[in-house]
Amino acid sequence: MKIFTEEEVMSYTMADAIRDTRAILERQNADKIVNRKQVLMAAGHNNMIMNFPALDIEKGLSATKIMSIRDGVSKAYSILTDIESGEVVANVAASYLTELRTGAMSGIATNLLARRDAKVLGVIGTGRMAVQQVFGVLSVRDIEKIVLFNRHLEKAEVFKDKITALGANCEIEIVDDVNVLTEQSDIINTATPAREAVFDDAYVKDGAHINGIGAFMPSTKELNVDTIGRAKYSIADYKKGVETSAGGFIEAVKQEKFEFDRLIQLNEALETQFDRDDADITVFKSVGASLYDMAVAIGAYEKLK
Amino acid sequence: MKIFTEEEVMSYTMADAIRDTRAILERQNADKIVNRKQVLMAAGHNNMIMNFPALDIEKGLSATKIMSIRDGVSKAYSILTDIESGEVVANVAASYLTELRTGAMSGIATNLLARRDAKVLGVIGTGRMAVQQVFGVLSVRDIEKIVLFNRHLEKAEVFKDKITALGANCEIEIVDDVNVLTEQSDIINTATPAREAVFDDAYVKDGAHINGIGAFMPSTKELNVDTIGRAKYSIADYKKGVETSAGGFIEAVKQEKFEFDRLIQLNEALETQFDRDDADITVFKSVGASLYDMAVAIGAYEKLK
């Protein structure tokens, strides 16, 4: 059994993650993937443990991500088991990988839906999960300018330094009015636990694509319901998860601005011909799912072993 | 992170397992245990991976047993995670522990239900899981004679040698007619994948107690429906599991010989006053559940670390 630390898995890159995530979606389309709903176990007031079980028939491995959340701080490990031998072959640190896989999904969805000539990326919410989401977009579009918004300006400053250190070498602007961000962004990334929309639909630029990764509970509603309603295409990383957990979408359905059968799951999206006009709005919504954790855990294991 | 092999966990005994299983049932009654349904993932024709997730709030640990079954051969490991730190603290080999915990459950249930003066133990089906089930009963009753039945006599011989080597020092008889076993047994253990009853209700001795651990699918029905129907008390290790997976019980309900609300779950049984007459029949049915795997995985970890 091999053990890979957070430090070791850092050599697994966004390019690796996008390639492996795309490949697992193709295997999902070929019925080679078993993806199971997360198992949530509450451990007292502010703690919980979640299990994310999945299985890759082609790779001959199962992966169960075990994630702990304590007072809002999460840590995760993916346990890989060889299906043939029944042996546990690896324990792969999965905190960085969880951020990376979310960024990789946003990259894949952005590549499918965003305008080819998208130049400005707006980032609303600059916490830990937002970092790799930036690099997911940078991997698929020639971004010239990143605009950052956080209600706490100093957090946006820290974020700017972090993404610069990690290699984001375009112009980076910090704004204190979210509308200034919205009106100029070709792509908007949101990663907040907000209980109401973090941008105003009236300011959304024609042709914008939005990646929402913050909301993962019915009470969290960062995406604007009007924007959800008028989007030409909406991709979900995991349809069942979005239907039960994505507050903005649930609210949009409640207000009869959206129907869940319009959602396209990311694996289906790989096989979909999108017919978007330059002015159409598009949305990608991620709540997370076991198979994405498996994609990067197996990918990192294969790269490092 | 500590790794404990099958060989190392052998020093964890039946006495340890009965003590720790009883303790976890008491914590379950105090709402300190989260027990989640198994997650089943099919990997092609004859392979599957199952996850058994549970959490022990008092011990501050979660345990996920990852079990593989390939062409009928199973292997298992329990992954322990510290709830406070989020770290994976141990990978505990769990094949022997799975046999042991099943035996421990049978021991606890037998102690609650079987006659105090039970002397003869009948064993129907002498596969791997049956071994520790014998020692579970030997731990709680003064058994003078063990009677073995297997359709293949040579398998019963091998089993006799095995339990003798492991310390069963009473008389051991092998019979080629199951009725000869049934009519003299105060306690009957069954551990078969049989699709019909493995004993005839007419031969069941007055006052007998039966432990059924073989059937874990609706199609497996080793327990006699008439015996299930007339048992004064029936204990289940996991009620939901028995209702959906124990073929004999499902069949007995279908034939209107039993109702599921008569089932007493093992943790409830610890707090139940049983009022059995000497001639009453009683039954324990086990299909397995995550919390039992957790009890012995944490127990072995605490003993060995």
Side-chain angles (χ1 to χ4, degrees):
Chain A
M1 177 188 180
K2 305 208 172 196
I3 298 176
F4 297 109
T5 64
E6 286 293 342
E7 201 168 15
E8 288 167 327
V9 298
M10 296 289 281
S11 66
Y12 183 76
T13 66
M14 179 58 73
D16 293 329
I18 288 181
R19 180 199 60 227
D20 293 339
T21 302
R22 185 180 274 277
I24 214 167
L25 292 167
E26 283 163 5
R27 291 201 291 283
Q28 187 180 21
N29 285 332
D31 284 330
K32 296 292 184 193
I33 300 296
V34 180
N35 178 52
R36 288 282 176 261
K37 229 183 99 199
Q38 69 194 53
V39 179
L40 198 152
M41 299 185 282
H45 188 50
N46 253 334
N47 294 9
M48 68 170 85
I49 297 276
M50 287 192 277
N51 284 6
F52 297 82
L55 185 150
D56 189 326
I57 295 172
E58 201 167 297
K59 295 279 183 182
L61 292 167
S62 84
T64 298
K65 184 172 85 166
I66 299 172
M67 178 174 244
S68 64
I69 303 183
R70 180 169 152 75
D71 300 324
V73 180
S74 68
K75 199 174 279 186
Y77 293 90
S78 282
I79 308 297
L80 303 187
T81 303
D82 185 288
I83 296 169
E84 294 288 305
S85 70
E87 297 296 331
V88 175
V89 294
N91 174 10
V92 184
S95 295
Y96 161 73
L97 289 181
T98 299
E99 300 165 24
L100 197 69
R101 65 96 161 118
T102 309
M105 282 186 228
S106 289
I108 293 169
T110 300
N111 197 32
L112 291 169
L113 292 181
R115 284 173 56 143
R116 294 276 136 201
D117 61 355
K119 297 284 176 227
V120 178
L121 166 63
V123 176
I124 303 175
T126 55
R128 211 172 84 172
M129 291 296 287
V131 176
Q132 294 299 334
Q133 208 192 357
V134 166
F135 289 98
V137 172
L138 294 186
S139 298
V140 298
R141 286 293 180 273
D142 295 322
I143 298 299
E144 293 174 354
K145 182 180 173 185
I146 299 174
V147 186
L148 305 177
F149 174 79
N150 193 305
R151 284 175 306 166
H152 307 283
L153 267 183
E154 67 284 6
K155 290 194 179 165
E157 291 285 357
V158 170
F159 188 83
K160 179 182 173 179
D161 293 345
K162 191 181 282 179
I163 61 173
T164 302
L166 289 170
N169 60 0
C170 53
E171 182 190 347
I172 301 176
E173 182 188 356
I174 295 171
V175 296
D176 60 3
D177 177 352
V178 74
N179 293 336
V180 174
L181 176 151
T182 309
E183 66 188 1
Q184 64 179 306
S185 294
D186 302 308
I187 298 168
I188 299 176
N189 284 356
T190 65
T192 79
R195 288 168 185 274
E196 50 193 45
V198 293
F199 58 85
D200 185 337
D201 182 59
Y203 287 85
V204 173
K205 197 176 166 183
D206 276 357
H209 171 70
I210 296 144
N211 295 307
I213 66 159
F216 63 97
M217 289 190 297
S219 58
T220 49
K221 305 177 183 174
E222 62 181 6
L223 296 185
N224 191 296
V225 291
D226 293 313
T227 311
I228 291 172
R230 70 189 179 95
K232 175 140 188 207
Y233 295 111
S234 294
I235 295 180
D237 60 345
Y238 181 43
K239 275 199 270 192
K240 272 190 210 162
V242 169
E243 289 172 14
T244 56
S245 313
F249 275 84
I250 293 168
E251 183 64 31
V253 168
K254 210 165 135 191
Q255 294 185 20
E256 299 185 353
K257 289 173 176 164
F258 188 77
E259 304 92 45
F260 282 129
D261 56 17
R262 286 173 54 195
L263 278 178
I264 303 165
Q265 198 163 273
L266 194 50
N267 60 310
E268 300 162 355
L270 286 188
E271 299 182 335
T272 302
Q273 282 294 345
F274 293 103
D275 178 26
R276 63 139 38 237
D277 286 334
D278 280 353
D280 288 334
I281 304 294
T282 56
V283 173
F284 170 62
K285 175 62 200 146
S286 165
V287 292
S290 308
L291 84 157
Y292 299 104
D293 294 308
M294 177 166 67
V296 291
I298 292 180
Y301 167 67
E302 291 188 335
K303 183 168 187 172
L304 294 169
K305 77 176 176 183
Chain B
M1 177 187 179
K2 306 210 171 193
I3 298 175
F4 298 110
T5 64
E6 286 294 342
E7 201 168 16
E8 288 167 328
V9 298
M10 297 288 282
S11 66
Y12 183 75
T13 66
M14 179 58 74
D16 293 330
I18 287 180
R19 180 198 60 226
D20 292 339
T21 302
R22 186 179 274 278
I24 214 167
L25 292 167
E26 283 164 4
R27 291 200 291 284
Q28 187 180 21
N29 285 331
D31 283 332
K32 297 291 185 192
I33 300 296
V34 180
N35 179 50
R36 288 281 177 262
K37 228 183 100 200
Q38 68 194 53
V39 179
L40 197 153
M41 299 185 282
H45 188 50
N46 254 334
N47 295 10
M48 68 171 84
I49 296 276
M50 287 192 277
N51 283 6
F52 297 82
L55 185 150
D56 188 325
I57 294 172
E58 201 167 297
K59 295 278 183 183
L61 292 167
S62 84
T64 298
K65 186 172 83 165
I66 300 172
M67 177 174 244
S68 64
I69 304 183
R70 178 170 154 73
D71 299 326
V73 180
S74 68
K75 200 174 275 183
Y77 293 90
S78 282
I79 307 297
L80 303 186
T81 303
D82 185 289
I83 296 168
E84 294 288 305
S85 70
E87 297 296 331
V88 175
V89 295
N91 173 11
V92 184
S95 295
Y96 161 73
L97 290 180
T98 298
E99 298 164 25
L100 196 69
R101 65 98 161 116
T102 308
M105 281 184 229
S106 288
I108 292 169
T110 300
N111 198 31
L112 291 169
L113 292 182
R115 284 173 57 143
R116 294 277 135 201
D117 61 356
K119 296 286 176 226
V120 178
L121 166 63
V123 176
I124 303 174
T126 55
R128 211 171 85 174
M129 290 298 286
V131 176
Q132 294 299 332
Q133 207 193 357
V134 166
F135 289 97
V137 173
L138 294 186
S139 298
V140 299
R141 287 295 181 271
D142 295 322
I143 298 299
E144 294 174 356
K145 181 179 173 186
I146 300 174
V147 186
L148 306 178
F149 175 78
N150 193 306
R151 284 175 306 166
H152 308 283
L153 267 183
E154 67 282 9
K155 289 194 181 167
E157 291 286 357
V158 171
F159 187 83
K160 178 182 174 180
D161 294 344
K162 193 182 281 179
I163 62 174
T164 302
L166 288 170
N169 60 0
C170 52
E171 182 190 347
I172 302 175
E173 182 188 356
I174 296 171
V175 296
D176 60 5
D177 177 353
V178 73
N179 294 335
V180 174
L181 177 150
T182 309
E183 67 187 0
Q184 64 179 308
S185 295
D186 303 309
I187 298 168
I188 299 176
N189 285 355
T190 66
T192 79
R195 288 168 185 274
E196 50 193 44
V198 292
F199 58 85
D200 184 337
D201 182 58
Y203 287 84
V204 173
K205 195 175 166 183
D206 275 358
H209 170 72
I210 295 144
N211 294 308
I213 67 159
F216 63 98
M217 289 190 297
S219 58
T220 51
K221 305 178 183 173
E222 62 181 4
L223 295 185
N224 191 296
V225 292
D226 293 313
T227 312
I228 291 172
R230 69 190 179 96
K232 174 139 189 209
Y233 296 111
S234 295
I235 295 180
D237 61 343
Y238 180 44
K239 274 199 271 192
K240 272 189 212 165
V242 170
E243 290 172 14
T244 55
S245 312
F249 275 85
I250 292 168
E251 184 63 32
V253 169
K254 211 166 136 190
Q255 294 184 19
E256 298 186 353
K257 290 174 175 164
F258 188 77
E259 304 92 44
F260 282 128
D261 56 16
R262 287 173 53 195
L263 279 178
I264 303 164
Q265 197 162 273
L266 194 50
N267 59 311
E268 300 162 355
L270 286 188
E271 298 182 337
T272 302
Q273 282 294 342
F274 293 102
D275 178 26
R276 62 138 40 235
D277 288 334
D278 279 353
D280 288 333
I281 304 294
T282 56
V283 173
F284 170 62
K285 176 63 200 144
S286 165
V287 291
S290 308
L291 85 157
Y292 300 103
D293 295 309
M294 177 165 68
V296 292
I298 292 179
Y301 167 68
E302 290 187 336
K303 184 169 187 173
L304 295 169
K305 76 176 175 182

